[in-house]
């Protein structure tokens, strides 16, 4: 997903909400800095240098020009009050899509314009980030799909495999549809869980396969219901699912590894 050039600042929530009571004045400056970094990320909502590469506290303090003790106290309070969570050292702003969805509705999105995040582009913002690796061109999947979407799909498939409860797996698919099909009409989001469950029955509860279809159809120019489009795609592919032109988990892992220079 493209980086945001702006983010929404909710007026009444900022002035009269809980943040002013939860965070001291200097800590609120860190919170606003985190929001800006989350918007500037190639995966909006995640504060990361590049996909799966977290900022260190030292780097955050430097880019925000903040004392380390203020940064750490603000970060701890944000976790305590549920403003952020930390997954594998990557800071994730909670409810990001809920509060920042306006950007995607007002900016036309075209997957073909996405380009890999490279070492040179990131170093323009922060110096001495030696952990970042160059993208390697030429891999089939990376030529076909933006690498950030491969990372997301890889993580989703891994998480689906880890979850044991069907409800949790269904929740992941619902979240994935909401992410990839933000331009779907409002009626698609009514009883979304039940409708995705219906799609699952259509593919014999093959969660990974439906996840790939949701992901793959996100680049389609869909007029009308996105769910109906996916349903039609599933019917069309039913007789040839074993030879469907979708990447396997191994192909995705290999492409991500090659992009990271592994």
């Amino acid at each position: 997903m493209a980086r945001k050039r702006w983010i929404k600042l909710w007026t009444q929530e900022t002035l009269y909400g809980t943040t002013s009571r939860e965070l001291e004045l200097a800590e609120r400056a860190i919170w606003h800095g985190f929001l800006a970094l989350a918007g500037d990320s190639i995966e909006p909502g995640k504060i990361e240098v590049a996909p799966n590469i977290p900022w260190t506290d030292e780097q955050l303090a430097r880019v925000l020009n903040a004392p380390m003790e203020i940064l750490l106290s603000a970060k701890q309070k944000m976790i305590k009050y549920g403003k952020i969570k930390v997954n594998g050292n990557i800071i994730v702003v909670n409810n990001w899509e809920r509060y920042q969805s306006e950007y995607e509705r007002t900016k036309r999105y075209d997957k073909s314009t996405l380009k890999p995040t490279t070492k040179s582009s990131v170093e323009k913002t922060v110096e001495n980030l030696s952990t970042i690796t160059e993208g390697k061109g030429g891999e089939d999947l990376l030529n076909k799909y933006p690498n950030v979407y491969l990372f997301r799909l890889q993580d989703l498939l891994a998480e689906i495999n880890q979850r044991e409860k069907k409800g949790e797996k269904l929740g992941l698919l619902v979240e994935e549809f909401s992410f990839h099909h933000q331009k779907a009409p409002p009626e698609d989001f009514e009883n979304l869980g039940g409708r995705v469950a219906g799609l699952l029955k259509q593919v014999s509860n093959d969660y990974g396969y439906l996840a790939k279809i949701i992901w793959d159809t996100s680049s389609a120019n869909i007029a009308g219901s996105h769910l109906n489009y996916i349903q039609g795609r599933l019917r069309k592919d039913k007789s040839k699912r074993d030879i469907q032109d979708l990447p396997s988990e191994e192909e995705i892992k290999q492409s991500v590894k090659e992009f990271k220079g592994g």
Side-chain angles (χ1 to χ4, degrees), residues 108 217-224 226 229:
R108 186 168 180 80
T217 54
S218 63
S219 61
N221 186 14
I222 304 172
H226 289 219
Y229 180 91

Side-chain angles (χ1 to χ4, degrees), residues 201-204 209 232-242 244:
K201 290 182 179 179
Q202 195 173 331
V203 294
S204 303
Y209 178 72
R233 167 74 180 270
L234 294 175
R235 288 173 178 167
K236 178 181 177 182
D237 295 341
K238 187 174 182 180
S239 62
K240 55 176 183 177
R241 281 178 56 197
D242 290 340
Q244 174 56 242

Side-chain angles (χ1 to χ4, degrees), residues 6 14 17 22 50 63 75 79 108 126 144-146 148 167 176 180 183 191 209 223 253-254 261:
W6 53 267
T14 299
E22 295 167 347
V63 75
K75 184 177 175 182
I79 294 172
R108 186 168 180 80
V126 182
K144 186 176 181 182
Y145 300 104
V148 61
E176 200 67 5
H180 285 300
K183 295 184 182 298
N191 189 28
Y209 178 72
K253 290 178 182 179
Q254 182 62 28

Side-chain angles (χ1 to χ4, degrees), residues 27 61 83 142 160 163 173 178 188 201 225 244 255:
E27 294 169 337
K83 296 182 178 301
L142 292 182
I160 286 175
R163 299 295 180 94
L173 293 180
S178 299
D188 271 1
K201 290 182 179 179
S225 170
Q244 174 56 242
S255 294

Side-chain angles (χ1 to χ4, degrees), residues 155-165 168-169:
D155 291 344
L156 173 65
L157 294 175
E159 191 164 1
I160 286 175
N161 289 334
Q162 291 172 1
R163 299 295 180 94
E164 296 182 358
K165 296 182 179 180
E168 293 180 349
K169 294 183 179 183

Side-chain angles (χ1 to χ4, degrees), residues 16-24 28 77 81:
Y16 312 116
T18 59
T19 300
S20 60
R21 298 191 297 271
E22 295 167 347
L23 304 177
E24 299 295 334
R28 294 202 294 274
K77 289 182 181 180
Y81 293 114

Side-chain angles (χ1 to χ4, degrees), residues 11-78:
T11 54
Q12 292 194 0
E13 286 78 357
T14 299
L15 292 171
Y16 312 116
T18 59
T19 300
S20 60
R21 298 191 297 271
E22 295 167 347
L23 304 177
E24 299 295 334
L25 180 61
E27 294 169 337
R28 294 202 294 274
I30 303 296
W31 168 238
H32 293 142
F34 276 13
L35 292 177
L37 285 169
D40 190 50
S41 171
I42 196 170
E43 294 183 291
K46 294 184 178 182
I47 300 176
E48 55 188 2
V49 176
N52 296 323
I53 301 179
W55 294 82
T56 66
D57 290 335
E58 290 76 13
Q59 291 164 355
L60 287 171
R62 186 162 66 247
V63 75
L64 296 177
N65 194 25
M68 179 61 72
E69 61 271 18
I70 298 296
L71 176 81
L72 294 178
S73 67
K75 184 177 175 182
Q76 290 172 356
K77 289 182 181 180
M78 290 178 210

Side-chain angles (χ1 to χ4, degrees), residues 119-188:
K119 183 176 179 179
S120 59
S121 67
V122 178
E123 285 186 337
K124 291 179 181 179
T125 306
V126 182
E127 298 178 1
N128 300 324
L129 297 179
S130 59
T131 59
I132 302 175
T133 58
E134 294 279 0
K136 296 174 63 178
E139 297 82 7
D140 290 341
L141 285 181
L142 292 182
N143 285 335
K144 186 176 181 182
Y145 300 104
N147 61 75
V148 61
Y149 277 71
L150 283 173
F151 293 148
R152 184 180 177 91
L153 180 60
Q154 180 193 38
D155 291 344
L156 173 65
L157 294 175
E159 191 164 1
I160 286 175
N161 289 334
Q162 291 172 1
R163 299 295 180 94
E164 296 182 358
K165 296 182 179 180
K166 294 181 179 180
E168 293 180 349
K169 294 183 179 183
L170 176 62
L172 292 173
L173 293 180
V174 170
E175 180 180 346
E176 200 67 5
F177 178 87
S178 299
F179 175 84
H180 285 300
H181 294 269
Q182 296 178 30
K183 295 184 182 298
E187 54 267 25
D188 271 1

